[in-house]
Amino acid sequence: MTTTSTGTDWRAWQESWDRQQEWYMPDREERFRIMLDMVESLVGTTPRVLDLACGTGTITARLLARLPSATSTGVDLDPALLTIAEGTFAGDGRVTLVTADLKDPDWRAGLPHDSYDAVLTATALHWLHSEPLEALYGQIAELVRDGGVFMNADHMIDDSTPRINAAERALRHARMDQAKAGGALDWAEWWRLAAQDPVLAGPTARRFEIYGEHADGDMPSPSWHARVLREKGFGEARPVWCSPSDTLLLALK
């Protein structure tokens, strides 16, 4: 990345993050398109959105490009990714960023609103195990207004199809290896570069103090997510998009 006379090139860091994520998920933009289609169809063109585990603000950036009259509250604990988000959205009154730990029962205390039209998250909650994720889903249900939506696009594994899962994973990883040989950055390499950046070095060090190395939670099936969300207070819940390994699950209050 580069640092210009006016400061760090936040757009370049955003694009670098996107490319690194797309190495794992080539269809990443498609899930965002469907997510925003469903936001617009269910809660309109001026939604108040909670971008949950927002990272660099990927969902927020696409939301505001698609629906300029929307507002977004981004919540995350990662100081490095939040630094990129803060640089990206500096001066944009439509965006509020909040530092909070979703495993803390009081994480909602810092939010600027008591309710939201839509709560959106992607490729983030798979690091939670089932029990804390169930608790989080209950808290989300309390934040979503009646008629509002929650959407989670993430790794959701159906253990009833082991041969299908193994074949898909083998092909996906072969393609990832090919892309990496062509110069694509993986997770570890991206963070190594962030640690070398004069602006991001400190936040990156704090990030690894908080999280350690990346670890996954239980990654239950889409049917599990839908069942738990209904149990927590949503009236309807089902997948609205899927790939062989990932699902965008929508719950309507």
Side-chain angles (χ1 to χ4, degrees):
M1 300 311 104
T2 60
T3 300
T4 67
S5 60
T6 57
T8 298
D9 188 343
W10 298 116
R11 177 174 292 183
W13 274 111
Q14 286 281 0
E15 291 176 354
S16 175
W17 177 260
D18 285 342
R19 300 295 84 75
Q20 178 259 127
Q21 289 287 285
E22 287 171 356
W23 180 68
Y24 296 93
M25 299 167 289
D27 48 23
R28 185 168 176 256
E29 292 300 325
E30 179 68 6
R31 71 193 69 194
F32 293 140
R33 183 184 69 81
I34 299 298
M35 178 182 282
L36 295 179
D37 281 350
M38 299 311 297
V39 168
E40 185 173 354
S41 63
L42 289 166
V43 298
T45 59
T46 60
R48 175 191 291 170
V49 171
L50 178 61
D51 185 352
L52 198 69
C54 65
T56 65
T58 297
I59 291 174
T60 292
R62 285 149 182 77
L63 170 75
L64 298 179
R66 167 84 172 260
L67 304 174
S69 296
T71 58
S72 179
T73 302
V75 176
D76 209 300
L77 184 62
D78 189 315
L81 299 185
L82 279 174
T83 296
I84 296 173
E86 288 163 358
T88 299
F89 300 107
D92 192 332
R94 299 171 295 177
V95 180
T96 302
L97 295 170
V98 176
T99 300
D101 184 349
L102 298 181
K103 291 184 287 187
D104 182 342
D106 296 323
W107 69 269
R108 293 171 291 176
L111 299 180
H113 307 291
D114 293 329
S115 69
Y116 289 85
D117 301 308
V119 177
L120 309 176
T121 188
T123 326
L125 302 188
H126 61 270
W127 50 264
L128 287 175
H129 291 284
S130 298
E131 186 173 342
L133 184 55
E134 286 190 42
L136 179 62
Y137 277 174
Q139 294 166 332
I140 292 169
E142 294 173 359
L143 282 171
V144 176
R145 67 161 173 84
D146 288 345
V149 297
F150 166 65
M151 279 182 272
N152 180 15
D154 211 342
H155 313 314
M156 298 183 189
I157 306 301
D158 187 341
D159 291 331
S160 70
T161 58
R163 289 183 297 162
I164 295 172
N165 297 348
E168 183 278 328
R169 187 179 187 279
L171 179 60
R172 175 162 43 89
H173 279 262
R175 288 175 173 171
M176 289 167 64
D177 290 343
Q178 184 178 23
K180 189 173 181 180
L185 295 181
D186 64 10
W187 172 269
E189 180 66 11
W190 191 91
W191 282 110
R192 188 187 68 79
L193 293 175
Q196 295 175 353
D197 183 271
V199 176
L200 291 175
T204 296
R206 293 195 298 275
R207 185 251 178 227
F208 281 96
E209 290 174 1
I210 294 169
Y211 292 107
E213 294 300 324
H214 184 70
D216 285 328
D218 297 330
M219 288 188 285
S221 68
S223 61
W224 181 94
H225 289 270
R227 175 182 60 78
V228 171
L229 286 163
R230 287 192 294 266
E231 290 173 353
K232 296 299 182 180
F234 287 93
E236 300 177 12
R238 72 167 178 89
V240 292
W241 173 92
C242 70
S243 71
S245 61
D246 287 24
T247 293
L248 171 57
L249 198 134
L250 184 152
L252 180 65
K253 186 76 175 286

